[in-house]
Amino acid sequence: MSAVAAFAPVAAGDTRPGVSVILLGGFAASVDGHPVPDGAWRLRKGRELVKLLALAPGHRLHREQVMDVLWRDREPAAAANNLHQAVYVARRALGRDAIALREEVLRLTAEVDVDRLEIAAADAREGGTRAEYEAALSLYRGELLPENRYDDWVAERREELAELAEALADELAALGPAVNKRLPPLPAPTSSFVGRDRELGELRALLRGTRLLTLVGTGGVGKTRLALELARVAESSHPGGVAVVELAAVADPALVPGVIANALDVHPLPGQMPIDAVLDYLAPSSLLLLLDNCEHLLGAIARLAEALRRCAPGLTILATSREPLHAPGEVVFRVPSLVIPDPERAMRASELIKYEAVRLFVERAAAAAPGFALGDENAPDVARVCVRLDGLPLALELAAGRIGALGVAAIADRLEDRFRVVRSASGAAPTRQQTLSATLDWSHDRLAADERVLLRRLGVFADGFNLDAAETVCAGGELDPMGIADVLARLVEKSLVIAEAGSSRESRYRLLETVRVYARDRLEEARESSALIERHAHWALALAESHRGSPRLDRDAANLRAGLKALAERAPTHWLRFSVALWPFWMRRIELHEAEQSLEQSLAATPERTPLRARGLLAAAAVAYRSGELATAVAYASDSYAVAADVGEPRAEWAALQFLGECAVARDAADDAVRWLQRALALARRCGLAAEEAIGVYSIGVAHWIRGELAQAEKLVRDGITSLRPLARSSQRLMSPVNITEGHTRRPGGVPGLRIEFQDTLQPFVEVSCEEAISYMLANQAGIARARGDLGRARALLDESAARFEAADDDRGIASVLVRRAYLDLADDELAAARLALGQALELRAAHGDRRGLGLVLVGLGVTETASGDYREAEGHLSEARDIFRAAGDRWALASSLWASADLEFVRGDLVRVEALLLNARAVLEVTGRERWIAHTVTALAQIAMLRGESAKGAALLC
């Protein structure tokens, strides 16, 4: 056993709060809340040194022990030199004080997640509550240092921690069932939380005794920050977790249910309203729902809160607003300003610092102007600033940001003058809103002319933006595009724009909500609002068209929606164009309801028969297809064909005919599929569309595949691939080739079950290059080879497909091949290989933001773990997959997850549960009209009835 593996874990009590080390699920480190980038670890052994110390008792190891683990094969002198370099790199990454070397002993001063897990586990076993167990289990993010899977010094601790997590899960299960769904984590705090101890204590008590608690106060008083802190400390008391819903950007009350649904990752089924989907999801839940910034939506939120509490007895709502909601049963807590000193008393610095407002101001000022400190000399001016700003956190932070430029005395003088003007204008005592307005007016008055122009124009962004976006949208008139970078940097320095950490290539920026509202008001005053809204909308349109479906669009989702809304109100043709550009984005994120609405409405608003309308109709058809509404998809595609024929667009005609053929494939109507596909093929040949002709030949082969004519199918598929190969380097884009994504197989190891799998799928009808199309076609040919029982040739075809995808650096394609390989491995009883391939696919799809693909991988993992006998793990994967697909309204994939879940319960021997899952699958599939899938499900139900001794019921089902 190695030196490190022999150590038992202990919690390190002497930690440096600024350094945090994560070992579970993969190594990561942060300093003062900022992640340490990979580039900081110039030597891999520097990172390994930190891992070793983090796992050691007390985070201490003798230097000889470290060298024995990391440089066992080196001479002592070389090992010592390497250790010196590793310590240097680690200190550069974490800070000089993070690693100390005294008397030959290395010591890491940091907070380590393994320590937190073991402490939380001990607390859970002592307290015995579900909340404590869930809190402890949430700290186990995955196996210990998976990247060090083959290193001996990790193995024993990895096994110990995995056993601990498994034991905690068993002990939690013994406490009884609970309804859970993974929710996004609470937003990470960007700065320290100062004061509010009294308020937090009161609020925790109130939250335990009410189901609707509203934090009320003026803008800038810190309602959101206090609510998030309350949610953070109360999270363990809510087994369902905490969901945060940001409402600041929602102008239309009718959109509130949809925004809440998005925050919960719930998407309506076709024909279902968002509010009904939210009610269905929350009904069994015991979560805490935080509704932030409700003041402009009071009536809608009050009605919604009442409906939610009526249908979800375990739900607690925490709201923030400038006014009470006036909802039945509401408890209102008025958020006060931070405690300020008595303006009539002169205080020394040591006494003044006890006040919350002073502590906040001093801390933020020191961050803005390193070297600033509270002393007896500047104490009167600091007290004046805190008093004149009424202890409002936002106002204090804005003022603190000017310390470096003006000094605290100048700030105090200016604030006093400004507030006198406000009181004089109103003729009454100042409200907090007036005070905050004065603070913002003062900040605005201090800006240079170009800074004022840029600030007000940045208010048009609904969320964050990058420099290119600011230059595109905000340039013009007084602002030279080439000068915007400089002006933006000045606004960042003056704390009116926040710079967020981004990639090494670009930074992201955003405005605080209050500052953004203030900027929009200034934009209205300057009579620039209409022009900037339109310019922003066209920027968003161009972004959508240049990054179709790319994860790059995710961070600008709010801007895309704002731009879409603006064009819907101003320019119907551009609205349709925007909707067509966004449908791959919606499809990747499985936001089918939003896609359906936008396409349907924009098509209705643009009835002219144009090439754009033909594309829009085909996009609507693709969304309906993905939702499982094949009849609707066919109707849209037929209209698309008619329009394309009218306007003389051969490629659009071909695309519509091809789509109709693929819809027939989905309905298992092979004869209809061949007729449509032959029409598409004839058109391609007549018009000289070589790539489309190759796809057509291939697609007819797929139609023969579903007929069971495998030899003819493979010949045509091979011919299609051969015809397309000369065009591999072409710049032409094609619709993704149709593929068969189900397979029948025995279960590995002879495990019984229903024996049908919906294995994987490419997004239907997305555009791919000819090179990509060939690679996907090869993968599909492998499916035919597998169906013919030639697993060796199937693997060879997948290898060729993977090699092409890897050469093209196409992660989406690589993931597709990995999933297909996994199912081949399952057929060969190679469970470890299948699990590995699916795990790699999961990582790729998560990085790509491919929600649907990720869910299908989870189904594959569920099938794998069912075969391995790890039923708990299988249920975890399958439950998560069902949640994804049910929330999205994806009937095909939901049916697949229900089938796999039924298989799991069949193996467990729970035939009642099997029947319930199959009945659910049958109901889901009814809308699709896919008779073979429905028949398969009904046949399985009959089999279960027979096994339960209900022969009459089984016979009736088969009639």
Side-chain angles (χ1 to χ4, degrees):
M1 182 182 298
S2 71
V4 176
F7 290 139
V10 299
D14 182 16
T15 63
R16 176 174 177 257
V19 179
S20 176
V21 174
I22 293 174
L23 305 176
L24 295 166
F27 176 78
S30 63
V31 178
D32 296 330
H34 300 291
V36 177
D38 289 341
W41 305 99
R42 293 189 300 105
L43 294 177
R44 186 177 67 86
K45 293 297 187 182
R47 181 161 32 196
E48 300 303 286
L49 171 63
V50 173
K51 296 177 186 178
L52 278 169
L53 293 174
L55 282 176
H59 306 323
R60 295 181 177 90
L61 278 178
H62 194 280
R63 65 193 299 271
E64 296 291 340
Q65 292 174 298
V66 175
M67 290 189 293
D68 181 56
V69 172
L70 296 182
W71 298 284
R72 181 174 299 173
D73 300 330
R74 297 294 182 92
E75 293 295 325
N81 181 61
N82 288 343
L83 175 61
H84 175 76
Q85 293 181 37
V87 170
Y88 174 77
V89 168
R91 284 175 172 170
R92 286 284 300 270
L94 302 179
R96 182 167 185 79
D97 296 334
I99 296 182
L101 175 59
R102 294 188 181 91
E103 297 180 355
E104 303 289 292
V105 173
L106 287 157
R107 177 188 177 195
L108 171 70
T109 304
E111 183 182 75
V112 180
D113 63 342
V114 170
D115 298 337
R116 293 199 305 273
L117 169 63
E118 293 179 319
I119 292 170
D123 290 345
R125 285 167 168 167
E126 182 177 349
T129 68
R130 171 172 289 279
E132 288 172 310
Y133 272 100
E134 289 176 337
L137 280 168
S138 71
L139 296 174
Y140 187 76
R141 300 181 180 90
E143 69 173 281
L144 180 71
L145 297 174
E147 67 272 24
N148 294 91
R149 187 168 285 115
Y150 304 108
D151 290 327
D152 293 340
W153 55 271
V154 183
E156 185 169 326
R157 288 292 283 135
R158 178 185 293 117
E159 185 176 345
E160 288 174 0
L161 293 169
E163 290 173 353
L164 173 62
E166 184 175 356
L168 289 173
D170 290 340
E171 292 162 23
L172 174 61
L175 296 178
V179 177
N180 287 300
K181 178 184 176 181
R182 295 183 186 177
L183 292 169
L186 287 168
T190 56
S191 57
S192 60
F193 185 75
V194 177
R196 302 291 196 191
D197 292 337
R198 178 182 61 82
E199 288 90 341
L200 276 174
E202 292 181 20
L203 287 167
R204 290 191 73 178
L206 288 172
L207 201 59
R208 285 192 291 268
T210 184
R211 296 183 56 219
L212 175 58
L213 175 60
T214 304
L215 276 54
V216 173
T218 188
V221 77
K223 301 183 294 296
T224 297
R225 186 64 190 274
L226 180 59
L228 285 170
E229 194 67 22
L230 174 62
R232 195 167 281 113
V233 298
E235 187 171 15
S236 61
S237 302
H238 296 272
V242 179
V244 179
V245 183
E246 300 283 357
L247 296 169
V250 181
D252 184 355
L255 297 178
V256 170
V259 173
I260 295 176
N262 285 339
L264 295 171
D265 198 21
V266 170
H267 300 270
L269 291 169
Q272 186 182 36
M273 298 298 292
I275 181 60
D276 294 326
V278 170
L279 292 173
D280 288 346
Y281 169 70
L282 290 178
S285 177
S286 57
L287 62 76
L288 174 63
L289 183 65
L290 198 169
L291 304 177
D292 192 30
N293 292 297
C294 300
E295 55 270 6
H296 57 307
L297 303 162
L298 293 176
I301 297 299
R303 291 188 295 272
L304 186 64
E306 185 175 4
L308 290 175
R309 286 178 293 152
R310 189 166 54 245
C311 84
L315 176 70
T316 300
I317 299 175
L318 174 62
T320 72
S321 176
R322 296 185 186 184
E323 301 175 46
L325 303 180
H326 298 296
E330 176 186 26
V331 173
V332 177
F333 182 91
R334 294 196 175 272
V335 180
S337 300
L338 296 175
V339 179
I340 57 176
D342 184 347
E344 302 302 321
R345 285 186 57 205
M347 300 182 195
R348 298 179 65 87
S350 58
E351 186 178 5
L352 196 64
I353 198 64
K354 296 176 183 178
Y355 290 87
E356 293 176 339
V358 174
R359 290 208 306 275
L360 178 65
F361 179 84
V362 170
E363 185 171 317
R364 300 298 190 261
F372 175 84
L374 178 66
D376 290 340
E377 183 178 349
N378 64 10
D381 290 324
V382 170
R384 251 194 321 151
V385 168
C386 294
V387 170
R388 295 303 182 186
L389 292 179
D390 291 331
L392 291 170
L394 176 58
L396 291 170
E397 293 189 358
L398 287 171
R402 284 23 178 217
I403 285 291
L406 297 176
V408 68
I411 290 174
D413 291 340
R414 174 65 182 180
L415 288 175
E416 184 174 355
D417 291 341
R418 188 57 184 168
F419 291 156
R420 186 178 299 118
V421 171
V422 170
R423 282 196 294 268
S424 173
S426 68
T431 64
R432 290 189 179 95
Q433 176 59 47
Q434 289 169 327
T435 302
L436 179 59
S437 178
T439 303
L440 292 170
D441 281 339
W442 167 79
S443 303
H444 185 261
D445 290 347
R446 299 294 297 175
L447 296 177
D450 56 355
E451 293 169 349
R452 293 184 192 180
V453 174
L454 181 57
L455 178 64
R456 70 175 182 248
R457 292 181 179 178
L458 290 175
V460 78
F461 287 98
D463 201 351
F465 54 90
N466 59 18
L467 178 58
D468 287 343
E471 290 173 338
T472 301
V473 174
C474 300
E478 307 97 315
L479 284 182
D480 178 2
M482 299 302 294
I484 285 181
D486 173 61
V487 182
L488 181 60
R490 281 183 266 146
L491 289 174
V492 171
E493 291 171 0
K494 295 176 181 181
S495 299
L496 286 168
V497 175
I498 297 172
E500 299 179 319
S503 68
S504 58
R505 296 192 60 188
E506 68 171 9
S507 295
R508 293 279 292 178
Y509 305 90
R510 65 181 177 90
L511 302 184
L512 293 172
E513 176 220 342
T514 306
V515 176
R516 183 168 63 249
V517 171
Y518 183 88
R520 291 294 288 262
D521 289 343
R522 303 290 79 74
L523 198 63
E524 289 283 355
E525 289 177 359
R527 299 175 183 266
E528 293 182 335
S529 184
S530 180
L532 264 293
I533 288 173
E534 186 168 342
R535 197 182 301 170
H536 172 268
H538 283 281
W539 162 79
L541 170 58
L543 184 71
E545 289 184 328
S546 61
H547 295 282
R548 286 178 180 269
S550 166
R552 159 71 178 79
L553 296 178
D554 290 347
R555 62 188 184 184
D556 279 301
N559 283 316
L560 294 171
R561 291 190 174 99
L564 189 68
K565 182 176 183 293
L567 291 179
E569 296 167 350
R570 290 168 168 78
T573 299
H574 288 305
W575 180 18
L576 177 57
R577 180 179 152 198
F578 206 156
S579 299
V580 171
L582 280 179
W583 79 265
F585 165 79
W586 287 318
M587 292 279 273
R588 178 176 54 79
R589 294 159 60 96
I590 341 181
E591 293 172 345
L592 304 179
H593 182 70
E594 185 175 355
E596 177 188 346
Q597 277 195 324
S598 187
L599 285 162
E600 180 181 344
Q601 293 170 8
S602 59
L603 283 165
T606 315
E608 296 80 13
R609 299 173 78 79
T610 63
L612 175 61
R613 182 170 180 81
R615 293 198 301 275
L617 287 164
L618 199 61
V623 173
Y625 178 100
R626 170 58 79 226
S627 300
E629 297 181 343
L630 290 181
T632 302
V634 168
Y636 274 128
S638 298
D639 288 349
S640 176
Y641 172 72
V643 172
D646 285 351
V647 298
E649 286 281 328
R651 278 201 165 88
E653 288 182 68
W654 174 85
L657 290 171
Q658 179 75 15
F659 185 105
L660 288 164
E662 295 185 15
C663 282
V665 169
R667 289 187 291 109
D668 302 314
D671 292 342
D672 288 347
V674 170
R675 280 194 294 271
W676 284 114
L677 293 171
Q678 284 178 339
R679 285 184 62 184
L681 178 60
L683 175 67
R685 286 171 172 164
R686 187 168 63 250
C687 297
L689 306 178
E692 287 81 354
E693 179 181 348
I695 291 289
V697 171
Y698 159 86
S699 301
I700 294 172
V702 172
H704 283 281
W705 184 356
I706 65 172
R707 278 177 168 171
E709 300 165 355
L710 299 182
Q712 178 68 1
E714 186 161 12
K715 176 184 181 303
L716 290 169
V717 165
R718 186 170 55 247
D719 289 347
I721 294 171
T722 301
S723 298
L724 195 57
R725 284 184 188 274
L727 303 174
R729 302 303 176 192
S730 166
S731 61
Q732 183 177 341
R733 308 287 291 178
L734 294 165
M735 290 199 315
S736 57
V738 62
N739 60 346
I740 297 295
T741 55
E742 65 182 76
H744 298 265
T745 182
R746 65 185 180 86
R747 289 292 183 217
V751 175
L754 304 176
R755 300 193 305 277
I756 187 169
E757 302 152 355
F758 182 74
Q759 295 171 4
D760 200 14
T761 181
L762 180 64
Q763 286 188 45
F765 323 117
V766 297
E767 288 186 348
V768 297
S769 68
C770 292
E771 178 70 41
E772 290 172 311
I774 293 168
S775 302
Y776 283 115
M777 291 157 75
L778 285 165
N780 292 332
Q781 186 183 354
I784 301 177
R786 176 188 168 185
R788 301 182 74 180
D790 192 343
L791 300 189
R793 191 158 55 84
R795 288 188 184 279
L797 288 164
L798 286 178
D799 288 344
E800 182 183 354
S801 176
R804 298 178 73 97
F805 281 130
E806 287 166 4
D809 199 23
D810 184 344
D811 286 345
R812 184 177 62 178
I814 293 169
S816 177
V817 173
L818 283 168
V819 172
R820 292 171 183 270
R821 278 178 174 165
Y823 278 97
L824 281 178
D825 291 331
L826 280 172
D828 280 342
D829 288 358
E830 298 290 344
L831 299 185
R835 190 181 293 114
L836 177 62
L838 289 167
Q840 292 170 338
L842 194 73
E843 291 179 10
L844 290 173
R845 286 180 170 170
H848 195 262
D850 181 359
R851 254 192 229 171
R852 186 172 200 262
L854 188 146
L856 289 169
V857 173
L858 289 171
V859 173
L861 286 167
V863 171
T864 303
E865 299 309 339
T866 297
S868 75
D870 190 342
Y871 301 149
R872 183 189 301 277
E873 189 73 11
E875 173 54 29
H877 292 312
L878 293 171
S879 175
E880 186 175 353
R882 293 195 305 270
D883 286 344
I884 289 172
F885 299 136
R886 196 181 300 279
D890 188 331
R891 294 178 180 275
W892 307 119
L894 177 57
S896 81
S897 63
L898 290 167
W899 285 339
S901 299
D903 262 351
L904 170 62
E905 298 305 330
F906 186 90
V907 175
R908 282 173 160 175
D910 189 345
L911 298 184
V912 174
R913 175 71 173 147
V914 174
E915 182 180 44
L917 289 161
L918 290 173
L919 286 171
N920 193 346
R922 180 182 180 180
V924 165
L925 289 169
E926 287 294 342
V927 173
T928 70
R930 190 162 194 176
E931 294 180 2
R932 188 166 55 83
W933 282 27
I934 296 170
H936 163 78
T937 307
V938 171
T939 300
L941 280 166
Q943 292 171 348
I944 297 304
M946 297 290 189
L947 288 171
R948 293 176 64 188
E950 299 172 339
S951 301
K953 181 178 179 180
L957 284 166
L958 293 173
C959 288

